[in-house]
Amino acid sequence: MKKIINLTKTFFLNSSREFAVPFWTIIFPTLFFILFVSIFENIGTSENLDLKVGIYYEEPLQGVIKTTFDDVFSPSESNHIPFQVEEYDSFEKGLQNLKNSEINVFVVFPENFNLLNLKFLIETIEVPDIKVYYTNDSASMYAKDIFEIFLDEMNIMMYTRGEEVKLTVNEEIIGIKQSEPYRYRDFLFPAIILMSVLTVAVFNMPIYFSYYVEKGVFKRLNSTPIKGNEYFFSFLLSHLILLLLSLIVLYVEAYLFDVNPDIYKPEFIAYSGFSILVILSVGLLLSSLYKNMGSAEAISQVIYQATIFLSGFYFEVTNTPWFIRWYVYFNPVTYLLDGMRKLMTGNVLVPVNIIVPVIWMVASILIFSMSYKGMVYHEK
């Protein structure tokens, strides 16, 4: 046990001294998450959406209220209204269209709302609130916020006409109840975890192994008290410690960015640990295939980039052309990433999220065990 602890400490300190190892394993995924969330989470905001607001009048607007409303919401070039206004003659139809996402917000001007015209003269008159219905969809919430900004403009216009009557709004959210909308940061976070693991499995481990093969390290182990299994266990343990540090940093970042709290659930953490074991097993398999550092660096780069872009890290990849889609379904990371996202959204894992990665893990360990002697044989 003492030999394993000392070996693990040696491996860990040796890899930590090289700036590239902690940078690509810990620092780069952290910076990458910040950069991509800052850029891509804003795509699809109100400036890029085709927003629609449905309006239903329980009785037609009249007087100053109608004039003010027409001035603010008329589709003129000077108003720059960022949404389309559609009138409904039925409350039920408008509400149903909102539920079907055919409109983003449904606004109801209630009966007796025209009493607001008299409130200019008689302050004690009670005027019913405008009712704004929306869903927990991001576009719907954007549209609701923007519509209320234009209502504030109506208040300003009435105030400039010498009146101090304020429109009041009653909001109501409808539709499927969810704690939080699914945001890009939630979509990206599992991918960033696996990016850190892939860096270790596809780059660090194979390059170190190929270096040891070139230097004849494995043959020299035969003349030392260190057993092969102790050596490999310590080597893997040192990289697991590095990954643990990376995960701690990423979880701190997730807390600061308010990522979906489901990432703290035991099932998500357990499946993340399972994913790490699978990918590290594949890393052992890759390590046994390289005979020198040159091939390790070149091929690892190709595998890393193909895995990153064809596993759904940044966007959906199931609609890619058939001649590259095979890699999407062949790649175990596709199923691991899908499983992590299922757990984040409260869905249940399907068998393929377990079976395919287990097949890869078992096959990788078996192939590495059988090819180890051949790897040592090719040492210089």
Side-chain angles (χ1 to χ4, degrees):
M1 186 64 184
K2 186 176 180 181
K3 287 189 291 184
I4 292 177
I5 294 175
N6 290 333
L7 269 175
T8 301
K9 181 180 178 180
T10 301
F11 281 129
F12 180 75
L13 293 176
N14 184 50
S15 60
S16 299
R17 289 191 188 101
E18 299 180 21
F19 177 74
V21 174
F23 175 80
W24 291 108
T25 308
I26 301 175
I27 302 174
F28 179 75
T30 304
L31 297 177
F32 196 93
F33 181 75
I34 295 173
L35 179 65
F36 264 53
V37 169
S38 302
I39 295 175
F40 293 106
E41 191 163 83
N42 292 324
I43 294 178
T45 61
S46 58
E47 297 178 356
N48 301 300
L49 293 173
D50 183 19
L51 302 177
K52 294 182 180 180
V53 174
I55 295 181
Y56 171 66
Y57 303 99
E58 292 186 352
E59 65 178 25
L61 298 183
Q62 297 175 355
V64 176
I65 303 304
K66 176 175 174 54
T67 303
T68 305
F69 183 85
D70 290 342
D71 288 344
V72 173
F73 292 97
S74 60
S76 62
E77 295 183 0
S78 60
N79 283 354
H80 301 292
I81 299 177
F83 50 75
Q84 301 176 22
V85 177
E86 182 176 349
E87 293 187 15
Y88 286 87
D89 55 6
S90 167
F91 172 81
E92 290 75 16
K93 182 179 179 181
L95 200 62
Q96 187 60 46
N97 282 6
L98 174 63
K99 293 178 180 179
N100 295 337
S101 299
E102 296 179 24
I103 57 176
N104 303 108
V105 170
F106 185 49
V107 180
V108 177
F109 286 86
E111 189 177 4
N112 297 325
F113 186 74
N114 286 314
L115 290 174
L116 191 62
N117 292 308
L118 297 177
K119 196 173 178 68
F120 293 140
L121 303 174
I122 308 174
E123 295 184 359
T124 57
I125 291 180
E126 294 292 332
V127 179
D129 297 343
I130 296 174
K131 296 180 181 179
V132 177
Y133 298 90
Y134 64 102
T135 68
N136 49 20
D137 178 72
S138 297
S140 182
M141 289 187 284
Y142 284 132
K144 183 263 298 183
D145 292 338
I146 293 173
F147 184 82
E148 291 184 357
I149 291 174
F150 277 78
L151 288 182
D152 289 338
E153 186 175 342
M154 286 184 64
N155 282 322
I156 293 172
M157 290 185 66
M158 288 190 294
Y159 181 80
T160 57
R161 291 172 178 173
E163 309 298 344
E164 297 187 10
V165 177
K166 183 174 178 59
L167 296 171
T168 55
V169 177
N170 181 20
E171 298 180 2
E172 183 175 344
I173 186 168
I174 65 171
I176 301 175
K177 298 295 183 183
Q178 295 177 346
S179 57
E180 288 287 343
Y182 194 48
R183 302 160 297 174
Y184 186 68
R185 67 189 66 185
D186 303 325
F187 178 83
L188 184 63
F189 185 73
I192 298 300
I193 291 178
L194 295 187
M195 173 188 285
S196 182
V197 183
L198 278 172
T199 301
V200 171
V202 178
F203 283 114
N204 297 2
M205 290 172 56
I207 290 175
Y208 272 113
F209 269 104
S210 60
Y211 173 79
Y212 295 149
V213 169
E214 285 190 352
K215 300 301 181 182
V217 173
F218 294 120
K219 282 184 178 179
R220 295 173 190 172
L221 282 177
N222 296 327
S223 60
T224 68
I226 301 174
K227 298 180 181 179
N229 59 345
E230 294 174 336
Y231 180 90
F232 286 114
F233 182 77
S234 301
F235 182 81
L236 288 175
L237 188 58
S238 67
H239 284 85
L240 283 173
I241 294 173
L242 188 65
L243 284 174
L244 179 61
L245 293 175
S246 176
L247 289 176
I248 291 173
V249 174
L250 288 175
Y251 264 80
V252 170
E253 186 178 38
Y255 175 79
L256 296 176
F257 273 76
D258 190 30
V259 174
N260 191 321
D262 284 348
I263 63 174
Y264 306 106
K265 289 185 175 181
E267 53 265 33
F268 181 86
I269 295 175
Y271 192 78
S272 298
F274 168 70
S275 301
I276 290 174
L277 294 178
V278 172
I279 296 176
L280 290 183
S281 300
V282 176
L284 286 176
L285 170 63
L286 295 175
S287 301
S288 66
L289 301 180
Y290 305 135
K291 301 302 183 290
N292 56 71
M293 289 187 65
S295 61
E297 292 174 351
I299 299 175
S300 292
Q301 187 66 245
V302 173
I303 294 175
Y304 181 81
Q305 297 299 336
T307 303
I308 289 290
F309 286 100
L310 293 177
S311 298
F313 270 52
Y314 314 133
F315 40 75
E316 181 60 45
V317 292
T318 54
N319 293 324
T320 52
W322 63 268
F323 60 89
I324 59 175
R325 195 184 309 165
W326 66 269
Y327 190 82
V328 175
Y329 297 112
F330 176 75
N331 180 11
V333 181
T334 301
Y335 305 95
L336 294 172
L337 184 59
D338 178 66
M340 294 173 74
R341 286 173 176 157
K342 278 187 170 70
L343 293 174
M344 281 187 69
T345 54
N347 295 317
V348 179
L349 294 176
V350 295
V352 73
N353 295 126
I354 301 294
I355 295 174
V356 173
V358 166
I359 291 174
W360 268 96
M361 181 169 61
V362 173
S364 298
I365 294 174
L366 288 176
I367 294 173
F368 175 77
S369 301
M370 292 185 294
S371 61
Y372 168 66
K373 290 184 179 180
M375 180 173 62
V376 174
Y377 178 78
H378 285 90
E379 284 187 339
K380 295 180 180 179

